[in-house]
């Protein structure tokens, strides 16, 4: 996908969660756009984004609607060193921080939420009411975006 045609939008949920994690939303959005423009090679070419995969659950209409990209750990120096080494070696990078987003081939990408370290894995496991509520809210937003490009938050 050409960079000019790569549509990336962000929700206020994302902007708030990025600010809480110390990230500049506008810089991250531009980095994400460039990373996705690189296609499959992007995972290994960007320091900021690692493993990229769908979340399942939650589902809508029987299909996963949320994606996530692992992001660099910040609070654990050993994990940060491991991430940096994986980036230098161009191998898979994983962490417990993730950017959650929706994707549709016609509407592009909607960046939804940044799960700060160490909350990404507990969030997606939806073990408590708060994480279930947030993941279901994100899935509802993603479903509307995938359906007609609308952003409901």
């Amino acid at each position: 996908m050409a960079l000019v045609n790569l549509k990336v939008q962000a929700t206020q949920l994302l902007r708030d969660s990025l600010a809480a994690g110390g990230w500049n939303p506008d810089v991250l959005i531009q980095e994400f756009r460039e990373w996705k423009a690189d296609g499959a090679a992007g995972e290994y070419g960007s320091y900021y984004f690692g493993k990229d995969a769908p979340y399942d659950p939650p589902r809508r209409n029987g299909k996963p609607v949320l994606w996530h990209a692992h992001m660099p750990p910040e609070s654990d120096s050993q994990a940060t060193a491991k991430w940096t080494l994986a980036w230098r070696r161009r191998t898979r990078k994983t962490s417990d921080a993730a950017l959650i987003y929706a994707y549709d081939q016609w509407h592009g990408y909607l960046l939804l939420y940044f799960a700060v370290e160490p909350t990404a894995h507990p969030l997606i496991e939806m073990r408590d009411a708060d994480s279930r509520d947030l993941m279901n809210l994100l899935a509802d937003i993603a479903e509307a975006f995938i359906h007609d490009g609308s952003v409901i938050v």
Side-chain angles (χ1 to χ4, degrees), residues 53-103:
Y55 277 141
D56 188 21
R59 291 174 162 243
R60 295 296 182 267
N61 297 316
K63 298 178 183 175
V65 293
L66 295 175
W67 285 77
H68 73 290
H70 289 250
M71 294 188 62
E74 294 184 357
S75 62
D76 179 341
S77 60
Q78 188 174 12
T80 301
K82 183 178 174 184
W83 177 278
T84 301
L85 183 61
W87 176 70
R88 286 185 183 138
R89 291 182 175 168
R90 301 296 190 251
T91 58
R92 178 152 279 180
K93 302 178 296 288
T94 61
S95 69
D96 200 17
L99 176 64
I100 301 172
Y101 66 94
Y103 168 71

